[in-house]
Amino acid sequence: MKKILEKFRYRKVILAAADAFIIATAALITNFVLSAFDKDISGKTLTVSIVMSVVSCGICLLAFGAYSKLWRYFNKKDYLSCVYGVLAGMSIACLFFGVMIENVPVIYAVIHFLISVIGICVFRFIFKQTFIELIDCGIKESEYKRTMMIGGGQACKMLLKEIKNAKQSTAGNSSALFDPVCIIDDDKSKIGTEVNGVTVVGTTADIQKYADEKKIEQIIFAIPSCLEEERQRILDICSKTNLPIKIIPFLGNLIFDNNNSTLLGQVRDIKVEDLLGRDPITFDNKEIKNFISGKVCMVTGGGGSIGSELVRQIAKYSPKQIIIVDIYENNAYDIQQELTMEYGDSLDLVTLIASVRDYYRMNQIFIKYKPQIVFHAAAHKHVPLMEVSPMEAIKNNVVGTFNTATLAQFHDVEKFVMISTDKAVNPTNVMGASKRCCEMIVQYLAQQHEGITEFVTTRFGNVLGSNGSVIPLFKRQIEQGKPVTVTHPDIIRYFMTIPEAVSLVMEAASIAKGGEIFVLDMGQPVRIVALAENLIRMYGKVPYKDVEIKFTGLRPGEKIKEELLMNEEGLQKTGNKLIFIGKQIEIDEHTFASRLQTLCDAAQQNNEELAISALHDMVPTFVTPEEFNKKVLVNV
């Protein structure tokens, strides 16, 4: 009894008091009506009847759950609980009254019951509507975004239900600020029908029409199972409306757990990755686990965007130990703390501050920790900066790779995985040429067949969200109200996500036999200006009107178009249909060693003229950007 009373809080007290008043008033009204026909009951009998009806109905309403749900959530089923509660209460009161005092006229009991039920249900309905209107008054009308739903299937149905519930629950809930106005669906049989009170008005061809006609303020893409090609087609249409777009993730990415139990909670802003034009790449986790599990893994440049993701993914596969090597202490500290918080003492993690340029320091690390797998991600990657400081690109990329790779061979590392870039193919800048030198170093060591180390190179294009990616720059420019800067209207690039890039590295390492260059099929290249336009639209702005796009001219060493293969390289398939092996170009070992020595000596002496000349000797495909871009633009 005590527990029941504790649960019977103020809200329930208000409802119970209102019900008691309605039942008592209904009795008086009933008796007044019956007095016109001389069928009323005496004052004393009426008083006892009212008391007994109020008590018995109150108990029965409680028993039938009429007070167990918040009135703002009341639906048809909950109103029935009121009907059953009053019916049971009246029946008990009449039975008890008839046994103890005298029989109550049937007509009195029936009318009393009907007026009480109607009064109680109407009171709840009015109270519910009043509450909702009070909430609405607390939120500015402009904060409700008129929303178009794309897709009228099950996800849309669930989402609309959650939006309705969220809107009624609390004024401070941002997810309640959707105002679903219409639904778009390519199933023409659905047009004119309603989904949870919202009308399906047309197909995807009508998106622009109804966005204007209905004064839509935002769009929710509610087709999580949509195929990628169709997804891209629809999102392209949506982006042309210049409205903010939110999206439900792929079905496989939906998570329903204690922290994220609703579909509404997973609606997110559209990401540029959603418009890449291909499915997310999947990899053989079993193969990778067999490769990593129980091994000592070292990642140079382990604090960078690629290196840190490598460390995260390696940690998932139960390595014996992970060694992070990085010259930049802040990044190294960040990834160290992240992994320590996630894994605690279950992960043997060593974080070392060291430069791959320092042969003796790196040798100490190899002697002490005896890594079995080395992922070499340390490199200078910013093209314009390396054009200004070419010696640093050669020292860090070329010398650093030679130090790390030769030490790996000397210390019998099982596999050495070098992370390269598409800028190494027919390079037009020092950074790209230096990375091509790194590829040649790895192949040179693989050709020697000395020791047990298997050398492998992975090559891919631009990585979304990495340090130096255009996406973070574009976002900052849009958010700060500044023009978005694109170097050239015809510039195109291949893109992939950081997890995809790292998964490529991991799988390549697991299947490598030594000497390969692994290349990822990255789909169709993306025009940077189109990327900028779409990103601006995703912010709900109009390109060239709300946000200016300024063409600044190609930067030093920049290509119009990147490539993934050199002319001499062919492609060989692997077990993964999106990963290929580029045929290596044979390295003349004697000539290569001599030229490499000349290049490294010139860099150490900071003799820029001699170093650049040596770089051209080592990489015959290294041409000026003007020469390369002129050929590309002729063919555009």
Side-chain angles (χ1 to χ4, degrees):
M1 187 66 180
K2 184 179 179 182
K3 291 182 179 179
I4 294 174
L5 290 174
E6 286 175 351
K7 292 180 180 179
F8 208 78
R9 304 197 176 218
Y10 299 114
R11 175 187 60 81
K12 297 180 181 180
V13 169
I14 293 171
L15 275 178
D19 290 343
F21 176 78
I22 290 168
I23 292 168
T25 304
L28 295 173
I29 293 171
T30 301
N31 203 48
F32 176 76
V33 171
L34 291 178
S35 67
F37 303 95
D38 293 327
K39 293 184 179 291
D40 56 324
I41 57 180
S42 64
K44 182 179 179 181
T45 304
L46 178 62
T47 303
V48 176
S49 171
I50 291 173
V51 172
M52 294 183 66
S53 297
V54 168
V55 173
S56 60
C57 285
I59 293 172
C60 289
L61 284 169
L62 180 63
F64 278 93
Y67 303 120
S68 63
K69 197 164 187 178
L70 295 175
W71 9 261
R72 58 179 172 267
Y73 295 136
F74 254 62
N75 54 36
K76 294 176 183 179
K77 183 180 178 181
D78 298 306
Y79 285 113
L80 283 175
S81 68
C82 296
V83 175
Y84 297 146
V86 174
L87 179 61
M90 290 290 186
S91 300
I92 293 170
C94 289
L95 181 63
F96 185 78
F97 192 81
V99 171
M100 299 298 296
I101 304 176
E102 61 180 90
N103 289 329
V104 176
V106 175
I107 188 67
Y108 171 85
V110 170
I111 295 175
H112 187 198
F113 164 73
L114 291 174
I115 296 176
S116 297
V117 165
I118 293 170
I120 287 172
C121 290
V122 168
F123 173 78
R124 278 164 169 72
F125 178 77
I126 293 173
F127 210 102
K128 172 184 174 181
Q129 295 305 117
T130 303
F131 177 81
I132 293 172
E133 287 176 11
L134 287 173
I135 287 178
D136 291 347
C137 291
I139 304 177
K140 295 178 182 178
E141 187 176 345
S142 61
E143 291 181 355
Y144 284 114
K145 301 294 185 183
R146 293 177 62 83
T147 304
M148 172 186 285
M149 311 289 292
I150 307 296
Q154 190 62 30
C156 176
K157 187 176 181 181
M158 293 170 61
L159 202 56
L160 288 172
K161 184 177 180 181
E162 290 180 19
I163 288 172
K164 183 178 179 181
N165 289 340
K167 190 174 180 180
Q168 295 176 2
S169 64
T170 172
N173 191 338
S174 61
S175 58
L177 303 181
F178 296 104
D179 180 18
V181 173
C182 63
I183 298 171
I184 295 292
D185 197 293
D186 279 332
D187 184 351
K188 293 184 178 180
S189 66
K190 292 183 179 179
I191 295 176
T193 63
E194 289 189 353
V195 179
N196 282 355
V198 182
T199 305
V200 180
V201 295
T203 66
T204 52
D206 304 315
I207 288 175
Q208 184 69 63
K209 171 187 172 183
Y210 286 106
D212 296 335
E213 186 178 303
K214 303 284 186 181
K215 295 182 172 58
I216 299 300
E217 296 175 277
Q218 67 181 357
I219 296 173
I220 295 182
F221 185 89
I223 320 176
S225 58
C226 187
L227 296 175
E228 181 58 33
E229 186 176 341
E230 184 68 3
R231 186 187 194 89
Q232 185 187 7
R233 180 188 72 81
I234 297 172
L235 287 176
D236 281 343
I237 296 172
C238 292
S239 68
K240 291 175 183 176
T241 64
N242 302 316
L243 296 171
I245 305 168
K246 294 186 181 293
I247 193 167
I248 297 176
F250 289 98
L251 281 177
N253 294 336
L254 291 174
I255 300 172
F256 295 98
D257 54 27
N258 293 333
N259 297 321
N260 204 0
S261 59
T262 67
L263 193 61
L264 184 58
Q266 301 189 58
V267 174
R268 60 167 171 79
D269 291 336
I270 189 172
K271 298 177 182 177
V272 179
E273 295 95 294
D274 296 315
L275 297 175
L276 283 182
R278 55 174 171 78
D279 293 321
I281 297 169
T282 57
F283 297 87
D284 187 353
N285 292 335
K286 184 178 179 182
E287 190 85 29
I288 296 173
K289 184 174 183 179
N290 292 337
F291 169 60
I292 295 293
S293 182
K295 302 286 180 64
V296 178
C297 301
M298 184 168 82
V299 181
T300 67
S305 49
I306 296 295
S308 61
E309 181 63 23
L310 264 169
V311 173
R312 290 186 193 96
Q313 292 200 25
I314 291 170
K316 296 177 183 178
Y317 297 107
S318 305
K320 181 179 179 181
Q321 186 179 54
I322 298 178
I323 305 160
I324 297 173
V325 177
D326 203 300
I327 190 61
Y328 184 42
E329 62 188 72
N330 292 351
N331 280 352
Y333 177 79
D334 287 344
I335 186 63
Q336 178 198 48
Q337 293 305 304
E338 178 186 327
L339 293 178
T340 300
M341 289 176 64
E342 184 169 353
Y343 294 96
D345 295 334
S346 65
L347 178 66
D348 188 349
L349 179 66
V350 177
T351 305
L352 304 173
I353 304 304
S355 171
V356 292
R357 301 182 187 191
D358 188 336
Y359 181 88
Y360 299 101
R361 168 67 170 141
M362 293 302 295
N363 188 43
Q364 283 182 337
I365 294 171
F366 275 91
I367 292 171
K368 182 174 182 179
Y369 295 100
K370 298 178 174 57
Q372 295 164 278
I373 303 168
V374 174
F375 294 93
H376 182 53
H380 284 321
K381 305 180 183 74
H382 291 261
V383 170
L385 293 180
M386 293 305 103
E387 288 299 286
V388 178
S389 305
M391 297 301 94
E392 299 309 304
I394 296 170
K395 292 174 189 175
N396 203 52
N397 296 357
V398 179
V399 176
T401 297
F402 183 77
N403 288 345
T404 311
T406 52
L407 284 168
Q409 185 182 56
F410 181 79
H411 290 282
D412 290 331
V413 169
E414 294 177 14
K415 281 191 181 177
F416 179 91
V417 186
M418 208 266 309
I419 297 168
S420 189
T421 169
D422 56 358
K423 292 175 177 60
V425 179
N426 301 321
T428 60
N429 49 68
V430 172
M431 194 285 285
S434 70
K435 292 299 285 184
R436 177 57 191 155
C437 280
C438 296
E439 292 183 354
M440 295 170 75
I441 290 169
V442 172
Q443 187 187 357
Y444 167 73
L445 294 174
Q447 283 181 196
Q448 290 181 329
H449 300 291
E450 294 181 6
I452 66 169
T453 307
E454 295 175 350
F455 290 92
V456 59
T457 298
T458 56
R459 184 192 290 163
F460 44 79
N462 292 268
V463 180
L464 289 169
S466 68
N467 297 328
S469 169
V470 296
I471 306 304
L473 173 62
F474 286 171
K475 285 185 174 181
R476 285 197 301 272
Q477 289 172 334
I478 295 169
E479 289 166 1
Q480 293 174 15
K482 296 179 179 178
V484 171
T485 54
V486 179
T487 58
H488 194 282
D490 295 317
I491 196 165
I492 63 174
R493 291 290 183 266
Y494 292 94
F495 282 99
M496 65 191 308
T497 65
I498 291 177
E500 284 178 331
V502 169
S503 294
L504 165 65
V505 174
M506 303 277 279
E507 180 150 325
S510 68
I511 64 177
K513 303 300 180 185
E516 304 99 328
I517 287 185
F518 286 87
V519 180
L520 175 66
D521 179 1
M522 300 179 69
Q524 294 298 314
V526 178
R527 290 179 68 238
I528 299 299
V529 68
L531 197 65
E533 290 169 351
N534 282 334
L535 194 60
I536 291 168
R537 292 188 185 108
M538 289 172 200
Y539 275 85
K541 300 178 184 295
V542 181
Y544 308 104
K545 182 181 177 183
D546 298 328
V547 178
E548 181 186 355
I549 296 180
K550 184 183 291 185
F551 296 103
T552 57
L554 292 172
R555 298 175 299 176
E558 190 169 38
K559 277 183 175 183
I560 288 284
K561 176 184 178 182
E562 298 291 1
E563 306 159 279
L564 290 171
L565 284 174
M566 292 187 291
N567 295 332
E568 298 89 343
E569 294 176 329
L571 284 180
Q572 176 186 339
K573 292 182 179 180
T574 67
N576 188 314
K577 66 180 181 180
L578 294 175
I579 299 178
F580 299 89
I581 299 175
K583 183 181 177 182
Q584 285 278 27
I585 302 166
E586 194 71 20
I587 300 290
D588 184 324
E589 296 183 11
H590 297 292
T591 305
F592 176 79
S594 173
R595 288 176 175 173
L596 179 62
Q597 186 65 53
T598 301
L599 175 65
C600 291
D601 289 346
Q604 297 294 0
Q605 295 164 14
N606 289 312
N607 188 331
E608 185 172 318
E609 184 178 349
L610 179 59
I612 299 299
S613 175
L615 197 56
H616 277 280
D617 289 340
M618 282 199 67
V619 185
T621 55
F622 181 16
V623 296
T624 64
E626 292 77 17
E627 183 181 349
F628 179 87
N629 292 330
K630 184 178 180 181
K631 292 179 182 178
V632 173
L633 289 172
V634 167
N635 297 321
V636 171

mmCIF file of all heavy atoms in Angstrom, residues 16 22 29 58 130-131 204 211 218 224 274 279 293 297 346 376 405 419 435 439 507 510 579 609 615 621 626 628 636:
data_model
loop_
_atom_site.group_PDB
_atom_site.id
_atom_site.type_symbol
_atom_site.label_atom_id
_atom_site.label_comp_id
_atom_site.label_asym_id
_atom_site.label_seq_id
_atom_site.Cartn_x
_atom_site.Cartn_y
_atom_site.Cartn_z
ATOM 1 N N ALA A 16 -6.945 12.271 -10.294
ATOM 2 C CA ALA A 16 -7.910 11.596 -9.414
ATOM 3 C C ALA A 16 -8.924 12.592 -8.859
ATOM 4 O O ALA A 16 -10.138 12.310 -8.792
ATOM 5 C CB ALA A 16 -7.172 10.893 -8.280
ATOM 6 N N ILE A 22 -15.732 15.071 -11.433
ATOM 7 C CA ILE A 22 -16.577 14.761 -12.600
ATOM 8 C C ILE A 22 -17.649 13.737 -12.226
ATOM 9 O O ILE A 22 -18.828 13.877 -12.595
ATOM 10 C CB ILE A 22 -15.709 14.251 -13.765
ATOM 11 C CG1 ILE A 22 -14.850 15.392 -14.327
ATOM 12 C CG2 ILE A 22 -16.576 13.653 -14.878
ATOM 13 C CD1 ILE A 22 -13.769 14.953 -15.278
ATOM 14 N N ILE A 29 -26.003 15.990 -11.928
ATOM 15 C CA ILE A 29 -26.679 16.255 -13.205
ATOM 16 C C ILE A 29 -27.720 15.169 -13.493
ATOM 17 O O ILE A 29 -28.850 15.455 -13.919
ATOM 18 C CB ILE A 29 -25.648 16.341 -14.349
ATOM 19 C CG1 ILE A 29 -24.748 17.572 -14.168
ATOM 20 C CG2 ILE A 29 -26.337 16.384 -15.708
ATOM 21 C CD1 ILE A 29 -23.576 17.630 -15.117
ATOM 22 N N GLY A 58 -12.680 5.420 -8.375
ATOM 23 C CA GLY A 58 -11.274 5.802 -8.229
ATOM 24 C C GLY A 58 -10.372 4.592 -8.116
ATOM 25 O O GLY A 58 -9.312 4.510 -8.753
ATOM 26 N N THR A 130 -4.234 20.979 -24.300
ATOM 27 C CA THR A 130 -3.771 22.206 -23.640
ATOM 28 C C THR A 130 -2.286 22.117 -23.319
ATOM 29 O O THR A 130 -1.521 23.067 -23.520
ATOM 30 C CB THR A 130 -4.565 22.457 -22.343
ATOM 31 O OG1 THR A 130 -5.962 22.517 -22.652
ATOM 32 C CG2 THR A 130 -4.133 23.761 -21.682
ATOM 33 N N PHE A 131 -1.866 20.947 -22.847
ATOM 34 C CA PHE A 131 -0.450 20.742 -22.510
ATOM 35 C C PHE A 131 0.430 20.899 -23.752
ATOM 36 O O PHE A 131 1.465 21.562 -23.721
ATOM 37 C CB PHE A 131 -0.258 19.351 -21.909
ATOM 38 C CG PHE A 131 1.175 19.029 -21.594
ATOM 39 C CD1 PHE A 131 1.772 19.482 -20.432
ATOM 40 C CD2 PHE A 131 1.945 18.285 -22.476
ATOM 41 C CE1 PHE A 131 3.095 19.196 -20.148
ATOM 42 C CE2 PHE A 131 3.266 17.993 -22.202
ATOM 43 C CZ PHE A 131 3.834 18.455 -21.032
ATOM 44 N N THR A 204 10.495 11.186 -56.532
ATOM 45 C CA THR A 204 11.742 11.951 -56.381
ATOM 46 C C THR A 204 11.902 13.011 -57.476
ATOM 47 O O THR A 204 12.615 13.987 -57.286
ATOM 48 C CB THR A 204 12.960 11.010 -56.392
ATOM 49 O OG1 THR A 204 12.904 10.153 -57.542
ATOM 50 C CG2 THR A 204 12.994 10.158 -55.150
ATOM 51 N N ALA A 211 9.377 21.029 -52.601
ATOM 52 C CA ALA A 211 10.218 21.801 -51.680
ATOM 53 C C ALA A 211 9.848 23.275 -51.747
ATOM 54 O O ALA A 211 9.784 23.963 -50.727
ATOM 55 C CB ALA A 211 11.687 21.598 -52.012
ATOM 56 N N GLN A 218 13.956 21.666 -44.503
ATOM 57 C CA GLN A 218 14.997 20.636 -44.432
ATOM 58 C C GLN A 218 14.438 19.317 -44.962
ATOM 59 O O GLN A 218 13.227 19.133 -45.057
ATOM 60 C CB GLN A 218 15.516 20.455 -43.011
ATOM 61 C CG GLN A 218 14.513 19.888 -42.040
ATOM 62 C CD GLN A 218 15.078 19.753 -40.636
ATOM 63 O OE1 GLN A 218 16.236 20.029 -40.383
ATOM 64 N NE2 GLN A 218 14.252 19.298 -39.714
ATOM 65 N N PRO A 224 17.193 3.714 -45.366
ATOM 66 C CA PRO A 224 18.495 3.153 -44.969
ATOM 67 C C PRO A 224 18.938 1.963 -45.807
ATOM 68 O O PRO A 224 20.116 1.650 -45.863
ATOM 69 C CB PRO A 224 18.268 2.749 -43.506
ATOM 70 C CG PRO A 224 16.798 2.604 -43.361
ATOM 71 C CD PRO A 224 16.189 3.599 -44.294
ATOM 72 N N ASP A 274 28.811 10.289 -48.227
ATOM 73 C CA ASP A 274 27.579 9.736 -48.784
ATOM 74 C C ASP A 274 27.464 9.975 -50.280
ATOM 75 O O ASP A 274 26.635 9.373 -50.945
ATOM 76 C CB ASP A 274 26.365 10.352 -48.084
ATOM 77 C CG ASP A 274 26.316 9.990 -46.606
ATOM 78 O OD1 ASP A 274 26.529 8.807 -46.284
ATOM 79 O OD2 ASP A 274 26.074 10.887 -45.787
ATOM 80 N N ASP A 279 29.902 1.942 -52.967
ATOM 81 C CA ASP A 279 29.596 1.330 -51.685
ATOM 82 C C ASP A 279 30.803 1.426 -50.760
ATOM 83 O O ASP A 279 31.953 1.459 -51.224
ATOM 84 C CB ASP A 279 29.253 -0.161 -51.873
ATOM 85 C CG ASP A 279 27.962 -0.338 -52.645
ATOM 86 O OD1 ASP A 279 27.039 0.439 -52.398
ATOM 87 O OD2 ASP A 279 27.892 -1.248 -53.482
ATOM 88 N N SER A 293 47.107 -10.876 -34.834
ATOM 89 C CA SER A 293 46.972 -11.456 -33.500
ATOM 90 C C SER A 293 48.288 -12.018 -32.967
ATOM 91 O O SER A 293 48.970 -12.797 -33.638
ATOM 92 C CB SER A 293 45.915 -12.568 -33.523
ATOM 93 O OG SER A 293 45.744 -13.110 -32.234
ATOM 94 N N CYS A 297 53.545 -5.020 -33.206
ATOM 95 C CA CYS A 297 53.325 -4.155 -34.367
ATOM 96 C C CYS A 297 53.826 -2.750 -34.077
ATOM 97 O O CYS A 297 53.485 -2.167 -33.042
ATOM 98 C CB CYS A 297 51.835 -4.100 -34.715
ATOM 99 S SG CYS A 297 51.089 -5.704 -35.083
ATOM 100 N N SER A 346 44.629 -4.074 -20.714
ATOM 101 C CA SER A 346 44.497 -5.240 -21.612
ATOM 102 C C SER A 346 45.293 -5.056 -22.899
ATOM 103 O O SER A 346 45.515 -6.011 -23.636
ATOM 104 C CB SER A 346 43.020 -5.478 -21.957
ATOM 105 O OG SER A 346 42.494 -4.398 -22.705
ATOM 106 N N HIS A 376 54.762 1.742 -41.968
ATOM 107 C CA HIS A 376 55.516 2.993 -42.087
ATOM 108 C C HIS A 376 54.607 4.090 -42.649
ATOM 109 O O HIS A 376 54.408 4.204 -43.863
ATOM 110 C CB HIS A 376 56.728 2.777 -42.996
ATOM 111 C CG HIS A 376 57.599 3.988 -43.138
ATOM 112 N ND1 HIS A 376 58.117 4.675 -42.055
ATOM 113 C CD2 HIS A 376 58.034 4.655 -44.246
ATOM 114 C CE1 HIS A 376 58.849 5.692 -42.490
ATOM 115 N NE2 HIS A 376 58.801 5.711 -43.808
ATOM 116 N N ALA A 405 63.200 1.009 -43.344
ATOM 117 C CA ALA A 405 63.104 -0.223 -44.138
ATOM 118 C C ALA A 405 64.356 -1.086 -44.017
ATOM 119 O O ALA A 405 64.266 -2.316 -43.867
ATOM 120 C CB ALA A 405 62.843 0.125 -45.608
ATOM 121 N N ILE A 419 53.251 3.143 -46.663
ATOM 122 C CA ILE A 419 52.036 3.814 -47.104
ATOM 123 C C ILE A 419 52.417 4.915 -48.081
ATOM 124 O O ILE A 419 53.104 5.871 -47.727
ATOM 125 C CB ILE A 419 51.263 4.386 -45.905
ATOM 126 C CG1 ILE A 419 50.812 3.236 -45.008
ATOM 127 C CG2 ILE A 419 50.073 5.215 -46.359
ATOM 128 C CD1 ILE A 419 50.289 3.657 -43.678
ATOM 129 N N LYS A 435 57.879 10.452 -52.485
ATOM 130 C CA LYS A 435 57.130 9.234 -52.174
ATOM 131 C C LYS A 435 57.368 8.165 -53.238
ATOM 132 O O LYS A 435 57.363 6.964 -52.939
ATOM 133 C CB LYS A 435 55.641 9.543 -52.045
ATOM 134 C CG LYS A 435 55.270 10.389 -50.836
ATOM 135 C CD LYS A 435 55.627 9.725 -49.514
ATOM 136 C CE LYS A 435 54.676 8.613 -49.151
ATOM 137 N NZ LYS A 435 54.985 8.045 -47.809
ATOM 138 N N GLU A 439 58.746 4.304 -52.679
ATOM 139 C CA GLU A 439 58.268 3.069 -53.317
ATOM 140 C C GLU A 439 59.428 2.298 -53.941
ATOM 141 O O GLU A 439 59.495 1.064 -53.841
ATOM 142 C CB GLU A 439 57.238 3.403 -54.403
ATOM 143 C CG GLU A 439 55.928 3.966 -53.898
ATOM 144 C CD GLU A 439 54.918 4.218 -55.011
ATOM 145 O OE1 GLU A 439 55.289 4.055 -56.203
ATOM 146 O OE2 GLU A 439 53.766 4.566 -54.703
ATOM 147 N N GLU A 507 44.681 -5.177 -44.980
ATOM 148 C CA GLU A 507 44.455 -6.366 -45.811
ATOM 149 C C GLU A 507 45.617 -6.605 -46.757
ATOM 150 O O GLU A 507 46.018 -7.743 -46.991
ATOM 151 C CB GLU A 507 43.148 -6.234 -46.604
ATOM 152 C CG GLU A 507 42.888 -7.454 -47.473
ATOM 153 C CD GLU A 507 41.417 -7.737 -47.682
ATOM 154 O OE1 GLU A 507 40.613 -7.503 -46.771
ATOM 155 O OE2 GLU A 507 41.076 -8.207 -48.763
ATOM 156 N N SER A 510 48.240 -8.343 -44.966
ATOM 157 C CA SER A 510 47.913 -9.729 -44.617
ATOM 158 C C SER A 510 48.068 -10.682 -45.796
ATOM 159 O O SER A 510 48.356 -11.865 -45.615
ATOM 160 C CB SER A 510 46.485 -9.814 -44.064
ATOM 161 O OG SER A 510 45.531 -9.546 -45.069
ATOM 162 N N ILE A 579 40.625 -4.408 -54.735
ATOM 163 C CA ILE A 579 42.060 -4.254 -54.488
ATOM 164 C C ILE A 579 42.827 -4.921 -55.626
ATOM 165 O O ILE A 579 42.570 -6.081 -55.972
ATOM 166 C CB ILE A 579 42.474 -4.879 -53.145
ATOM 167 C CG1 ILE A 579 41.734 -4.190 -51.995
ATOM 168 C CG2 ILE A 579 43.978 -4.755 -52.940
ATOM 169 C CD1 ILE A 579 42.054 -4.777 -50.648
ATOM 170 N N GLU A 609 69.654 22.679 -55.053
ATOM 171 C CA GLU A 609 69.794 22.518 -56.507
ATOM 172 C C GLU A 609 70.247 21.105 -56.855
ATOM 173 O O GLU A 609 69.686 20.458 -57.748
ATOM 174 C CB GLU A 609 70.786 23.554 -57.047
ATOM 175 C CG GLU A 609 70.921 23.515 -58.565
ATOM 176 C CD GLU A 609 71.878 24.587 -59.084
ATOM 177 O OE1 GLU A 609 72.269 25.472 -58.297
ATOM 178 O OE2 GLU A 609 72.223 24.529 -60.275
ATOM 179 N N LEU A 615 66.816 14.124 -57.615
ATOM 180 C CA LEU A 615 65.454 13.593 -57.535
ATOM 181 C C LEU A 615 64.907 13.328 -58.933
ATOM 182 O O LEU A 615 64.256 12.299 -59.178
ATOM 183 C CB LEU A 615 64.563 14.589 -56.779
ATOM 184 C CG LEU A 615 63.227 14.081 -56.225
ATOM 185 C CD1 LEU A 615 63.425 12.887 -55.304
ATOM 186 C CD2 LEU A 615 62.504 15.201 -55.481
ATOM 187 N N THR A 621 59.930 9.972 -64.268
ATOM 188 C CA THR A 621 58.574 10.467 -64.574
ATOM 189 C C THR A 621 58.267 11.783 -63.862
ATOM 190 O O THR A 621 57.156 12.312 -63.983
ATOM 191 C CB THR A 621 57.519 9.422 -64.163
ATOM 192 O OG1 THR A 621 57.694 9.090 -62.773
ATOM 193 C CG2 THR A 621 57.654 8.153 -64.997
ATOM 194 N N GLU A 626 53.406 22.384 -64.852
ATOM 195 C CA GLU A 626 52.952 23.091 -66.055
ATOM 196 C C GLU A 626 52.936 22.154 -67.259
ATOM 197 O O GLU A 626 51.971 22.138 -68.043
ATOM 198 C CB GLU A 626 53.861 24.291 -66.339
ATOM 199 C CG GLU A 626 53.778 25.414 -65.318
ATOM 200 C CD GLU A 626 54.526 25.108 -64.023
ATOM 201 O OE1 GLU A 626 55.372 24.181 -64.031
ATOM 202 O OE2 GLU A 626 54.259 25.783 -63.014
ATOM 203 N N PHE A 628 52.759 18.821 -67.219
ATOM 204 C CA PHE A 628 51.729 17.783 -67.050
ATOM 205 C C PHE A 628 50.326 18.356 -67.259
ATOM 206 O O PHE A 628 49.504 17.794 -67.993
ATOM 207 C CB PHE A 628 51.832 17.173 -65.650
ATOM 208 C CG PHE A 628 50.806 16.110 -65.366
ATOM 209 C CD1 PHE A 628 51.032 14.787 -65.692
ATOM 210 C CD2 PHE A 628 49.590 16.453 -64.780
ATOM 211 C CE1 PHE A 628 50.083 13.813 -65.439
ATOM 212 C CE2 PHE A 628 48.629 15.491 -64.522
ATOM 213 C CZ PHE A 628 48.878 14.161 -64.851
ATOM 214 N N VAL A 636 40.787 17.799 -71.933
ATOM 215 C CA VAL A 636 39.544 18.007 -71.176
ATOM 216 C C VAL A 636 38.410 18.411 -72.126
ATOM 217 O O VAL A 636 38.601 19.269 -72.971
ATOM 218 C CB VAL A 636 39.743 19.093 -70.100
ATOM 219 C CG1 VAL A 636 38.408 19.457 -69.470
ATOM 220 C CG2 VAL A 636 40.696 18.594 -69.036
#
